[in-house]
């Protein structure tokens, strides 16, 4: 999905290697804790965050990252164009992924921030792609409790989320989020005015 509502939802459940900072103009570590660009600009090594786990409690591996990036970079995929300069993805060691480029490509880190570049559990996806679409296994602050197509998605905290708040307590702070699908704009406005919807 590439509509804004679906993207906002996905970004609560899944995370890419690199994320945009709070200003939207800079980059900060996501699933990758750091990255190093080669002096010739033709490769980037990304080191996965130590101890990061999927919502199931399974550790995130370099193989998961390669699988996810190969999916998004497929020329037939919606955002494959953003990875046209990529020559290969390879495992350097158990915590490091190398992206080799055909030519220097300044936009690579931005491409890695795309919602579609999120790192997913290879095993869970391959086990049942349809079920995965209903309940993705990722590293974001929330996981899907239930999904009713065309009605709503109920999100609950991912018990294995890695990020802590400024107060040192685990994020997210919300116990549950209900994202309702309301296609008719007047109904959305009336829902806000009546207090039925928070946002």
């Amino acid at each position: 999905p590439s509509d804004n509502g679906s993207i906002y939802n996905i970004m609560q459940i899944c995370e890419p290697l690199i994320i945009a900072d709070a200003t939207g103009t800079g980059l900060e570590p996501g699933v990758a804790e750091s990255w190093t660009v080669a002096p010739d600009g033709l490769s980037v090594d990304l080191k996965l965050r130590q101890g990061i786990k999927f919502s199931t409690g399974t550790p995130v591996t370099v193989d998961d990252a390669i699988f996810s990036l190969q999916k998004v970079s497929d020329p037939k995929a919606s955002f494959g164009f953003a990875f046209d300069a990529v020559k290969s993805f390879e495992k350097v060691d158990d915590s490091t992924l190398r992206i080799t480029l055909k030519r220097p490509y300044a936009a690579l880190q931005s491409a890695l921030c795309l919602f579609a570049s999120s790192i997913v559990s290879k095993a869970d996806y391959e086990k049942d792609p349809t079920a995965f679409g209903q309940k993705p296994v990722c590293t974001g602050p929330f996981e899907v409790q239930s999904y009713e197509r065309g009605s709503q998605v109920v999100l609950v905290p991912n018990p294995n989320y890695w990020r802590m708040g400024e107060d040192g307590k685990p994020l997210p702070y919300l116990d549950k989020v209900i994202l309702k699908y309301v296609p008719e704009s007047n109904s959305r406005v009336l829902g806000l005015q009546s207090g039925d919807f928070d946002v």
Side-chain angles (χ1 to χ4, degrees):
S2 58
D3 62 282
N4 284 340
S6 295
I7 293 170
Y8 300 150
N9 189 0
I10 289 167
M11 294 304 290
Q12 303 308 308
I13 303 162
C14 301
E15 297 174 310
L17 292 165
I18 300 172
I19 57 178
D21 68 12
T23 69
T25 60
L27 304 174
E28 62 183 44
V31 174
E33 65 181 19
S34 63
W35 59 93
T36 307
V37 179
D40 64 5
L42 292 177
S43 67
V44 179
D45 285 0
L46 298 111
K47 185 173 178 56
L48 296 187
R49 188 173 293 281
Q50 281 193 318
I52 193 166
K53 296 178 180 179
F54 290 113
S55 55
T56 56
T58 306
V60 177
T61 68
V62 172
D63 289 336
D64 292 310
I66 290 173
F67 172 78
S68 302
L69 294 175
Q70 285 174 334
K71 296 286 282 180
V72 71
S73 66
D74 183 329
K76 296 176 188 165
S78 297
F79 291 88
F81 68 89
F83 294 88
D84 180 61
V86 173
K87 180 178 180 182
S88 65
F89 303 104
E90 63 185 298
K91 180 177 180 177
V92 175
D93 57 38
D94 287 342
S95 64
T96 310
L97 156 74
R98 177 169 294 148
I99 300 174
T100 302
L101 301 170
K102 302 170 195 170
R103 59 187 179 278
Y105 181 48
L108 178 64
Q109 286 91 333
S110 294
L112 292 171
C113 289
L114 287 168
F115 76 95
S117 299
S118 292
I119 304 307
V120 304
S121 166
K122 176 183 179 187
D124 286 283
Y125 182 91
E126 289 182 333
K127 182 169 54 180
D128 188 342
T130 302
F132 189 91
Q134 307 289 314
K135 222 172 188 181
V137 177
C138 297
T139 64
F142 291 94
E143 62 181 342
V144 176
Q145 182 182 64
S146 63
Y147 170 58
E148 299 167 43
R149 181 179 291 277
S151 177
Q152 67 181 23
V153 177
V154 179
L155 303 179
V156 292
N158 169 0
N160 297 294
Y161 190 50
W162 57 273
R163 191 184 293 264
M164 297 288 165
E166 290 182 17
D167 60 2
K169 294 181 180 176
L171 293 175
Y173 296 135
L174 301 172
D175 295 326
K176 183 184 283 189
V177 176
I178 300 171
L179 302 172
K180 294 193 171 286
Y181 292 98
V182 184
E184 213 282 304
S185 59
N186 283 337
S187 297
R188 291 196 298 267
V189 171
L190 290 171
L192 280 172
Q193 290 174 338
S194 67
D196 290 340
F197 306 151
D198 295 313
V199 181

